[in-house]
Amino acid sequence: MPGFEFFGAEERKHLQDVMDTGILMRYGFDGPRKGIWKAKELETAISNYFGCTHAQLVSSGTAALTTAMSALGIGYGDEVILPSFTFVASFEAVLSVGAIPVMVDVDDTLTLDPEAVRKAITPKTKCVMPVHMCGSMADMEALQSICSEHKLLLLEDACQSIGASYKGKMLGTIGDAGTFSFDFVKTITCAEGGAVMTNRKDVYLACDGYSDHGHDHTGVDRGADLHPFIGYNFRISELHAAVGLAQIQKLDQFLAIQKKNHAALKAILSTIPEISFRRIPDPVGDSCTFLSWMLPTEAITRAVVNEMKVQGVLAGNFYWFDNNWHYIRKWDHLKHSLTLNALSPEIKAAVMHHANKDFSASDAVMSRCVSTAIGLLWTEDQLVEKANRMVAIIQGVLHQQSVQA
Ligand SMILES: *Cc1c(COP(=O)(O)O)cnc(C)c1O
């Protein structure tokens, strides 16, 4: 699943190129850098690989979301609709631009339920932000039609789904903008980094300036650049971009291994009739970083998770329902609006509103779901052994339940 499983000579080579010139910054120093532009090269590679006209590298996936939202003009008075199942970064980014996060239910795709999105639309809604969780996609056709009907922006958080596609288009390139994360556990990694992808030139130019203090990058040197608007520093370094460049060149290989291992694991788990799998709107587009499966009830799922823990099989299996970082149930810091600095009263009230909101539809799915991370380095024997141990545990719990019933 994560690219760090495959570090090697390629990463070292690109890093060495940067070390040889000593120019660790992505902008300027045109002479001394001797033609080495790793960030620019990676941006071109991203545009080519994923099929978008523009890519802007930044310092993290969270910074990519903040940058994209600013570039799309999302801010004070705007509501952004996003799913109850995501990483905390998604709502952090909404708050960072002074907008209001509106969390709504997910369905059995583990992503935004289009009907829940429809119901949450108000005159303040400005953007719908699907999060393509665990390597697979939201129902983009349904969300696109909602956005065009209500004239809303569509921003894809594709941080976890690098290399997945929907009906032939790469995730992250379908909406007005999309984001990737290259943090240490993502499909390709450069330690810390992210990207905004867009087919809109205005959005790209805004991202380019915003992520570098508002520099318009048209001056003859940095000091001569103009500052048409206020920005921040979300720059990526050449060292990080160098590692990213090595990793994107291996992405085809990562995806091929993931698909093979995912299919093998799914075939073995499918022998249990009580197991169902996450619904995937376009199965051929799944990047297969995870296999997400469901059992009939929360009680059975909890018993299985517990037994996997006891037998030491839990590593690499994620029960998101109890996870502090990926599901709304445990986000007490959000529900109590625990910020270090004061929020506007209006935003604070809107955020705290989530404490009493009904997420029973999400709970009904998430309480029965386990995601198994697909290893890139598994041997065939290791995969079969892992799968067989999982099957034995699941069958044991199901048998016990039927005896008790
Ligand atoms: C990892 C992740 C992010 C944030 O990326 P960072 O690079 O860690 O800041 C945002 N959204 C989702 C869904 C993620 O998984």
Side-chain angles (χ1 to χ4, degrees), residues 362-396:
S362 303
D363 289 348
V365 176
M366 298 311 298
S367 64
R368 299 184 295 109
C369 177
V370 175
S371 300
T372 306
I374 303 298
L376 293 174
L377 297 176
W378 289 346
T379 65
E380 210 171 306
D381 287 350
Q382 283 170 333
L383 187 154
V384 170
E385 195 208 320
K386 183 182 173 81
N388 285 342
R389 290 183 70 186
M390 286 166 62
V391 165
I393 288 169
I394 296 163
Q395 278 173 338

Tab-separated table of all heavy atoms in Angstrom, residues 362-396:
chain	number	residue	atom	x	y	z
A	362	SER	N	-24.573	6.523	8.616
A	362	SER	CA	-23.128	6.236	8.496
A	362	SER	C	-22.730	5.132	9.465
A	362	SER	O	-21.991	4.206	9.104
A	362	SER	CB	-22.293	7.479	8.827
A	362	SER	OG	-22.628	8.563	8.008
A	363	ASP	N	-23.224	5.238	10.720
A	363	ASP	CA	-22.906	4.224	11.738
A	363	ASP	C	-23.273	2.822	11.265
A	363	ASP	O	-22.536	1.860	11.502
A	363	ASP	CB	-23.667	4.513	13.047
A	363	ASP	CG	-23.131	5.739	13.788
A	363	ASP	OD1	-22.045	6.230	13.422
A	363	ASP	OD2	-23.817	6.195	14.723
A	364	ALA	N	-24.428	2.728	10.596
A	364	ALA	CA	-24.922	1.416	10.164
A	364	ALA	C	-23.946	0.744	9.199
A	364	ALA	O	-23.849	-0.485	9.151
A	364	ALA	CB	-26.299	1.565	9.506
A	365	VAL	N	-23.209	1.536	8.444
A	365	VAL	CA	-22.203	0.977	7.534
A	365	VAL	C	-20.861	0.825	8.248
A	365	VAL	O	-20.254	-0.258	8.254
A	365	VAL	CB	-22.011	1.891	6.291
A	365	VAL	CG1	-20.901	1.349	5.395
A	365	VAL	CG2	-23.313	2.035	5.521
A	366	MET	N	-20.414	1.911	8.885
A	366	MET	CA	-19.053	1.930	9.435
A	366	MET	C	-18.871	0.937	10.588
A	366	MET	O	-17.768	0.433	10.799
A	366	MET	CB	-18.683	3.347	9.898
A	366	MET	CG	-18.676	4.405	8.795
A	366	MET	SD	-17.754	3.960	7.303
A	366	MET	CE	-16.103	3.770	7.977
A	367	SER	N	-19.936	0.674	11.339
A	367	SER	CA	-19.823	-0.245	12.485
A	367	SER	C	-19.630	-1.695	12.032
A	367	SER	O	-19.281	-2.559	12.826
A	367	SER	CB	-21.071	-0.138	13.371
A	367	SER	OG	-22.213	-0.565	12.654
A	368	ARG	N	-19.876	-1.964	10.743
A	368	ARG	CA	-19.760	-3.343	10.231
A	368	ARG	C	-18.597	-3.505	9.262
A	368	ARG	O	-18.470	-4.532	8.603
A	368	ARG	CB	-21.063	-3.740	9.510
A	368	ARG	CG	-22.297	-3.723	10.395
A	368	ARG	CD	-23.522	-4.216	9.645
A	368	ARG	NE	-23.886	-3.338	8.541
A	368	ARG	CZ	-23.738	-3.628	7.246
A	368	ARG	NH1	-23.234	-4.782	6.880
A	368	ARG	NH2	-24.108	-2.765	6.317
A	369	CYS	N	-17.778	-2.446	9.138
A	369	CYS	CA	-16.769	-2.420	8.069
A	369	CYS	C	-15.348	-2.563	8.608
A	369	CYS	O	-14.980	-1.926	9.597
A	369	CYS	CB	-16.896	-1.099	7.307
A	369	CYS	SG	-15.667	-0.893	6.027
A	370	VAL	N	-14.574	-3.386	7.943
A	370	VAL	CA	-13.133	-3.487	8.212
A	370	VAL	C	-12.416	-3.295	6.876
A	370	VAL	O	-12.843	-3.829	5.856
A	370	VAL	CB	-12.754	-4.870	8.800
A	370	VAL	CG1	-11.244	-5.003	8.971
A	370	VAL	CG2	-13.463	-5.104	10.135
A	371	SER	N	-11.337	-2.502	6.894
A	371	SER	CA	-10.529	-2.335	5.683
A	371	SER	C	-9.179	-3.001	5.893
A	371	SER	O	-8.490	-2.716	6.871
A	371	SER	CB	-10.306	-0.857	5.370
A	371	SER	OG	-11.535	-0.199	5.157
A	372	THR	N	-8.830	-3.879	4.981
A	372	THR	CA	-7.529	-4.553	5.046
A	372	THR	C	-6.569	-3.870	4.074
A	372	THR	O	-6.842	-3.797	2.869
A	372	THR	CB	-7.663	-6.046	4.667
A	372	THR	OG1	-8.662	-6.643	5.500
A	372	THR	CG2	-6.342	-6.782	4.841
A	373	ALA	N	-5.461	-3.352	4.611
A	373	ALA	CA	-4.452	-2.694	3.758
A	373	ALA	C	-3.740	-3.752	2.925
A	373	ALA	O	-3.347	-4.802	3.435
A	373	ALA	CB	-3.454	-1.944	4.629
A	374	ILE	N	-3.600	-3.475	1.638
A	374	ILE	CA	-2.966	-4.430	0.724
A	374	ILE	C	-1.459	-4.184	0.683
A	374	ILE	O	-1.008	-3.099	0.292
A	374	ILE	CB	-3.557	-4.288	-0.704
A	374	ILE	CG1	-5.082	-4.476	-0.685
A	374	ILE	CG2	-2.889	-5.252	-1.667
A	374	ILE	CD1	-5.553	-5.842	-0.218
A	375	GLY	N	-0.676	-5.171	1.103
A	375	GLY	CA	0.776	-5.026	1.123
A	375	GLY	C	1.373	-5.159	-0.270
A	375	GLY	O	0.869	-5.923	-1.100
A	376	LEU	N	2.431	-4.388	-0.518
A	376	LEU	CA	3.134	-4.493	-1.802
A	376	LEU	C	4.172	-5.605	-1.753
A	376	LEU	O	4.567	-6.136	-2.786
A	376	LEU	CB	3.839	-3.169	-2.127
A	376	LEU	CG	2.958	-1.949	-2.416
A	376	LEU	CD1	3.818	-0.694	-2.562
A	376	LEU	CD2	2.125	-2.165	-3.667
A	377	LEU	N	4.632	-5.940	-0.549
A	377	LEU	CA	5.747	-6.884	-0.427
A	377	LEU	C	5.294	-8.285	0.001
A	377	LEU	O	6.118	-9.156	0.231
A	377	LEU	CB	6.776	-6.346	0.590
A	377	LEU	CG	7.455	-5.031	0.208
A	377	LEU	CD1	8.382	-4.543	1.322
A	377	LEU	CD2	8.234	-5.173	-1.098
A	378	TRP	N	3.975	-8.498	0.128
A	378	TRP	CA	3.497	-9.830	0.494
A	378	TRP	C	3.956	-10.868	-0.537
A	378	TRP	O	3.820	-10.636	-1.744
A	378	TRP	CB	1.959	-9.879	0.482
A	378	TRP	CG	1.276	-9.138	1.580
A	378	TRP	CD1	1.823	-8.648	2.729
A	378	TRP	CD2	-0.129	-8.798	1.618
A	378	TRP	NE1	0.842	-8.026	3.483
A	378	TRP	CE2	-0.351	-8.103	2.824
A	378	TRP	CE3	-1.203	-9.017	0.762
A	378	TRP	CZ2	-1.615	-7.625	3.189
A	378	TRP	CZ3	-2.451	-8.542	1.117
A	378	TRP	CH2	-2.650	-7.863	2.315
A	379	THR	N	4.455	-11.990	-0.044
A	379	THR	CA	4.658	-13.122	-0.956
A	379	THR	C	3.303	-13.818	-1.087
A	379	THR	O	2.396	-13.585	-0.279
A	379	THR	CB	5.670	-14.132	-0.393
A	379	THR	OG1	5.104	-14.705	0.806
A	379	THR	CG2	7.001	-13.463	-0.074
A	380	GLU	N	3.188	-14.684	-2.081
A	380	GLU	CA	1.933	-15.398	-2.284
A	380	GLU	C	1.586	-16.234	-1.040
A	380	GLU	O	0.436	-16.269	-0.610
A	380	GLU	CB	2.054	-16.282	-3.525
A	380	GLU	CG	0.738	-16.479	-4.244
A	380	GLU	CD	0.935	-17.171	-5.589
A	380	GLU	OE1	1.742	-16.660	-6.393
A	380	GLU	OE2	0.297	-18.219	-5.804
A	381	ASP	N	2.609	-16.876	-0.469
A	381	ASP	CA	2.397	-17.697	0.734
A	381	ASP	C	1.915	-16.850	1.912
A	381	ASP	O	1.006	-17.243	2.642
A	381	ASP	CB	3.701	-18.404	1.144
A	381	ASP	CG	4.033	-19.545	0.198
A	381	ASP	OD1	3.161	-19.889	-0.640
A	381	ASP	OD2	5.163	-20.077	0.273
A	382	GLN	N	2.541	-15.691	2.089
A	382	GLN	CA	2.141	-14.814	3.198
A	382	GLN	C	0.694	-14.353	3.030
A	382	GLN	O	-0.072	-14.306	3.984
A	382	GLN	CB	3.060	-13.585	3.261
A	382	GLN	CG	4.426	-13.874	3.861
A	382	GLN	CD	5.395	-12.703	3.687
A	382	GLN	OE1	5.271	-11.913	2.747
A	382	GLN	NE2	6.361	-12.590	4.576
A	383	LEU	N	0.339	-14.023	1.796
A	383	LEU	CA	-1.023	-13.561	1.525
A	383	LEU	C	-2.036	-14.648	1.861
A	383	LEU	O	-3.020	-14.415	2.568
A	383	LEU	CB	-1.146	-13.140	0.052
A	383	LEU	CG	-2.446	-12.470	-0.384
A	383	LEU	CD1	-2.193	-11.585	-1.600
A	383	LEU	CD2	-3.578	-13.446	-0.699
A	384	VAL	N	-1.763	-15.858	1.388
A	384	VAL	CA	-2.697	-16.968	1.611
A	384	VAL	C	-2.796	-17.289	3.102
A	384	VAL	O	-3.888	-17.506	3.630
A	384	VAL	CB	-2.266	-18.213	0.791
A	384	VAL	CG1	-3.068	-19.439	1.197
A	384	VAL	CG2	-2.423	-17.937	-0.703
A	385	GLU	N	-1.658	-17.230	3.803
A	385	GLU	CA	-1.677	-17.535	5.232
A	385	GLU	C	-2.497	-16.478	5.996
A	385	GLU	O	-3.333	-16.809	6.838
A	385	GLU	CB	-0.249	-17.582	5.785
A	385	GLU	CG	-0.195	-18.256	7.159
A	385	GLU	CD	0.962	-17.763	8.018
A	385	GLU	OE1	2.057	-17.560	7.477
A	385	GLU	OE2	0.727	-17.584	9.236
A	386	LYS	N	-2.258	-15.214	5.648
A	386	LYS	CA	-2.997	-14.124	6.302
A	386	LYS	C	-4.501	-14.286	6.049
A	386	LYS	O	-5.316	-14.213	6.972
A	386	LYS	CB	-2.501	-12.784	5.735
A	386	LYS	CG	-3.127	-11.550	6.378
A	386	LYS	CD	-2.591	-10.276	5.703
A	386	LYS	CE	-3.301	-9.034	6.199
A	386	LYS	NZ	-2.812	-8.517	7.478
A	387	ALA	N	-4.857	-14.528	4.785
A	387	ALA	CA	-6.269	-14.657	4.415
A	387	ALA	C	-6.908	-15.852	5.116
A	387	ALA	O	-8.032	-15.754	5.630
A	387	ALA	CB	-6.394	-14.786	2.897
A	388	ASN	N	-6.188	-16.958	5.172
A	388	ASN	CA	-6.755	-18.151	5.816
A	388	ASN	C	-6.976	-17.943	7.308
A	388	ASN	O	-7.963	-18.420	7.872
A	388	ASN	CB	-5.847	-19.365	5.575
A	388	ASN	CG	-5.985	-19.889	4.151
A	388	ASN	OD1	-6.964	-19.574	3.451
A	388	ASN	ND2	-5.008	-20.667	3.701
A	389	ARG	N	-6.072	-17.228	7.945
A	389	ARG	CA	-6.252	-16.950	9.378
A	389	ARG	C	-7.458	-16.033	9.597
A	389	ARG	O	-8.232	-16.233	10.536
A	389	ARG	CB	-4.981	-16.313	9.963
A	389	ARG	CG	-3.831	-17.319	10.044
A	389	ARG	CD	-2.600	-16.715	10.683
A	389	ARG	NE	-2.800	-16.480	12.115
A	389	ARG	CZ	-1.912	-15.857	12.880
A	389	ARG	NH1	-0.794	-15.394	12.364
A	389	ARG	NH2	-2.150	-15.685	14.170
A	390	MET	N	-7.624	-15.059	8.702
A	390	MET	CA	-8.796	-14.178	8.813
A	390	MET	C	-10.076	-14.982	8.619
A	390	MET	O	-11.048	-14.829	9.373
A	390	MET	CB	-8.712	-13.039	7.778
A	390	MET	CG	-7.686	-11.971	8.135
A	390	MET	SD	-7.284	-10.847	6.764
A	390	MET	CE	-8.872	-10.086	6.469
A	391	VAL	N	-10.090	-15.850	7.612
A	391	VAL	CA	-11.277	-16.668	7.338
A	391	VAL	C	-11.610	-17.547	8.546
A	391	VAL	O	-12.772	-17.654	8.961
A	391	VAL	CB	-11.056	-17.536	6.070
A	391	VAL	CG1	-12.094	-18.657	5.977
A	391	VAL	CG2	-11.102	-16.661	4.817
A	392	ALA	N	-10.584	-18.146	9.144
A	392	ALA	CA	-10.822	-19.024	10.299
A	392	ALA	C	-11.451	-18.238	11.452
A	392	ALA	O	-12.385	-18.715	12.108
A	392	ALA	CB	-9.501	-19.669	10.733
A	393	ILE	N	-10.945	-17.043	11.691
A	393	ILE	CA	-11.473	-16.207	12.778
A	393	ILE	C	-12.931	-15.827	12.490
A	393	ILE	O	-13.807	-15.949	13.360
A	393	ILE	CB	-10.598	-14.956	12.969
A	393	ILE	CG1	-9.252	-15.353	13.595
A	393	ILE	CG2	-11.316	-13.911	13.823
A	393	ILE	CD1	-8.199	-14.252	13.588
A	394	ILE	N	-13.185	-15.378	11.268
A	394	ILE	CA	-14.543	-14.939	10.912
A	394	ILE	C	-15.514	-16.127	11.022
A	394	ILE	O	-16.602	-16.004	11.606
A	394	ILE	CB	-14.565	-14.318	9.500
A	394	ILE	CG1	-13.709	-13.035	9.469
A	394	ILE	CG2	-15.993	-14.008	9.056
A	394	ILE	CD1	-13.327	-12.559	8.075
A	395	GLN	N	-15.103	-17.267	10.497
A	395	GLN	CA	-15.990	-18.437	10.567
A	395	GLN	C	-16.218	-18.869	12.011
A	395	GLN	O	-17.329	-19.255	12.378
A	395	GLN	CB	-15.404	-19.587	9.740
A	395	GLN	CG	-15.745	-19.423	8.268
A	395	GLN	CD	-15.055	-20.442	7.377
A	395	GLN	OE1	-14.030	-21.013	7.774
A	395	GLN	NE2	-15.594	-20.665	6.190
A	396	GLY	N	-15.178	-18.771	12.827
A	396	GLY	CA	-15.308	-19.116	14.239
A	396	GLY	C	-16.347	-18.240	14.926
A	396	GLY	O	-17.217	-18.742	15.656
